[in-house]
Amino acid sequence: MTNKKDIRSLTADELREYFLSIGQAKYRADQVYQWLWQKAAHSFEDMSNLSKELRGTLEEHFMFHELSVHTRQKSTDGTIKYAFKLSDGNMVEGVLIPTAKRLTACISTQVGCSLACEFCATGKLKRMRNLAYSEIYDQVAVINEEAKAEYGKGLTNIVYMGMGEPLLNYKNTMESVAKITQEEGLHMAAKRITISTAGIAKQIKQMGDDGSRVKLALSLHAANDEKRNSIMAINESNNLEVLAEALNYYYTKTQQAVTFEYIIFKDFNDSIDDAKDLLNFCRKVPSKVNIIEYNDVEGTPFKKADQDKVDAFAAYLEDRGVIAKVRRSRGKDIDAACGQLANKEG
Ligand code: SF4
């Protein structure tokens, strides 16, 4: 074990202060910051515009936590799933999803997840720990490089929908967003980033208070409490009424409508009565709906809904003025689709 501090845990100001304390000019700190967050240096040795002596001083006092690609699986539809190995040996997964117009990275915020939603493969893994913001950022940086190599251009969108509940790792999630959007980082527009939550009302309000500019998605999957309790235990402490109140607060603060993610399961939440519940909930909160087709996950009783039911469900909502789109899951053959990330190799 090393006692050296991870240099990437320092803010730009802290780094400048450190450089002044060792008699170096401030602009040197800015150069290092750029190497760390923009130029994706892998070591102090890479920082070629610093003197050998300065690189040696940094090496003596600091270290880097790096994440590495452990495995890479490409689906027949072009989706690529990555298993990332963290510095302590834990693994998380990320996905690159190419479509005609977009290159989207889906990334993780925790090792495992504590919420144990019934339909989710990640929920079957115990939550081990939160990711540091640099570990969240690195997934994006690596997938961005992969996108350029594989598809000739960088990422257009990022979704925090991989392993873990982002709002239960709020500080690191938001700091990773800051790094992704800052000029010395990937300089992506906040509106191209979506944070998806299972519904932590307190943190949704916090996002509002913090003036968050990213998009917010709520994994809803059922719009009546009894049903939602049966698949998402978090609903018992953050029920629909509490969530509606938090989302309206968030809307007042940010003027941003939420997207409800609704995985449609055969004979569970695919009837017109279910669509009515969803319509009623949509009327309480400025929102739109993504209806997501399900991929069977081993060890869960859920099945993919029939196509005619999905179409009727979507039509019911659209006919009543709700913006509802049906989304096909991607990367099914490699377990990269929604709710399937579970560190399964091979
Ligand atoms: S759906 Fe999200 S919140 Fe629920 S168990 Fe899976 S990763 Fe956790």
Side-chain angles (χ1 to χ4, degrees):
M1 270 312 264
T2 169
N3 288 325
K4 292 184 201 172
K5 193 172 176 136
D6 184 353
I7 192 163
R8 301 207 310 161
S9 68
L10 299 186
T11 63
D13 280 343
E14 286 167 344
L15 203 59
R16 283 189 205 113
E17 259 172 53
Y18 170 76
F19 270 66
L20 289 177
S21 78
I22 59 165
Q24 292 280 341
K26 264 205 267 187
Y27 81 92
R28 289 281 179 212
D30 297 339
Q31 287 176 325
V32 171
Y33 197 78
Q34 262 187 358
W35 279 112
L36 295 174
W37 296 109
Q38 194 174 37
K39 299 186 188 167
H42 297 294
S43 70
F44 295 111
E45 230 10 72
D46 285 351
M47 302 182 181
S48 53
N49 54 0
L50 306 185
S51 69
K52 200 161 184 282
E53 194 193 342
L54 181 54
R55 279 182 269 159
T57 308
L58 294 175
E59 182 79 57
E60 221 175 279
H61 292 94
F62 296 104
M63 43 84 69
F64 276 33
H65 270 318
E66 267 210 296
L67 144 163
S68 58
V69 176
H70 181 66
T71 55
R72 180 184 188 278
Q73 289 171 273
K74 190 166 182 183
S75 160
T76 48
D77 68 13
T79 301
I80 306 175
K81 181 170 80 166
Y82 303 91
F84 294 113
K85 192 168 190 173
L86 308 172
S87 55
D88 61 359
N90 274 311
M91 308 271 271
V92 290
E93 292 180 345
V95 188
L96 170 59
I97 308 152
T99 60
K101 289 195 194 129
R102 293 177 174 190
L103 284 170
T104 303
C106 173
I107 55 165
S108 299
T109 51
Q110 297 180 310
V111 181
C113 186
S114 55
L115 296 189
C117 301
E118 293 292 329
F119 52 87
C120 173
T122 305
K124 313 240 165 287
L125 306 172
K126 216 170 98 215
R127 189 196 81 96
M128 305 294 287
R129 69 168 174 89
N130 284 338
L131 296 191
Y133 63 76
S134 56
E135 293 170 323
I136 303 172
Y137 175 89
D138 282 353
Q139 297 170 64
V140 179
V142 170
I143 298 176
N144 189 43
E145 288 308 310
E146 287 271 329
K148 287 184 199 160
E150 196 65 39
Y151 297 103
K153 58 181 176 125
L155 294 170
T156 60
N157 296 77
I158 297 167
V159 294
Y160 285 65
M161 283 187 197
M163 305 171 101
E165 164 54 54
L167 298 192
L168 290 181
N169 185 11
Y170 186 80
K171 213 164 154 259
N172 287 309
T173 293
M174 293 308 163
E175 189 55 38
S176 69
V177 169
K179 294 280 186 266
I180 292 164
T181 51
Q182 75 184 6
E183 213 178 319
E184 305 85 359
L186 294 172
H187 205 191
M188 279 189 72
K191 62 174 193 246
R192 299 201 165 269
I193 300 174
T194 301
I195 290 184
S196 175
T197 176
I200 316 291
K202 189 168 160 236
Q203 299 309 131
I204 292 172
K205 288 184 171 175
Q206 187 68 49
M207 279 179 83
D209 286 338
D210 292 346
S212 167
R213 304 304 312 148
V214 298
K215 291 193 176 151
L216 179 65
L218 175 74
S219 297
L220 188 64
H221 313 320
N224 83 55
D225 279 318
E226 202 185 321
K227 245 179 212 193
R228 197 164 189 267
N229 283 345
S230 74
I231 54 169
M232 300 180 79
I234 186 68
N235 195 67
E236 284 164 21
S237 50
N238 291 256
N239 65 25
L240 293 170
E241 196 187 320
V242 171
L243 288 176
E245 199 248 325
L247 290 168
N248 278 313
Y249 180 88
Y250 170 82
Y251 183 78
T252 319
K253 296 277 179 171
T254 64
Q255 302 304 305
Q256 296 217 65
V258 63
T259 300
F260 294 137
E261 305 285 352
Y262 192 97
I263 305 181
I264 189 156
F265 303 106
K266 184 180 170 77
D267 299 334
F268 175 75
N269 62 357
D270 59 352
S271 70
I272 292 301
D273 278 345
D274 295 309
K276 274 184 201 163
D277 285 340
L278 182 53
L279 174 67
N280 288 338
F281 194 61
C282 286
R283 285 185 171 153
K284 292 185 184 159
V285 180
S287 54
K288 57 184 182 165
V289 177
N290 280 342
I291 300 164
I292 303 163
E293 76 176 15
Y294 181 64
N295 295 300
D296 299 0
V297 168
E298 242 175 78
T300 75
F302 299 100
K303 294 270 165 285
K304 185 175 177 348
D306 294 338
Q307 199 56 53
D308 54 340
K309 284 279 202 76
V310 176
D311 294 343
F313 190 98
Y316 180 90
L317 294 172
E318 276 172 322
D319 290 349
R320 286 156 186 82
V322 174
I323 303 170
K325 292 213 168 59
V326 179
R327 306 264 184 211
R328 313 260 166 255
S329 267
R330 303 288 305 272
K332 280 180 263 202
D333 52 329
I334 55 166
D335 290 339
C338 280
Q340 290 194 327
L341 298 184
N343 285 337
K344 218 175 11 161
E345 282 188 40

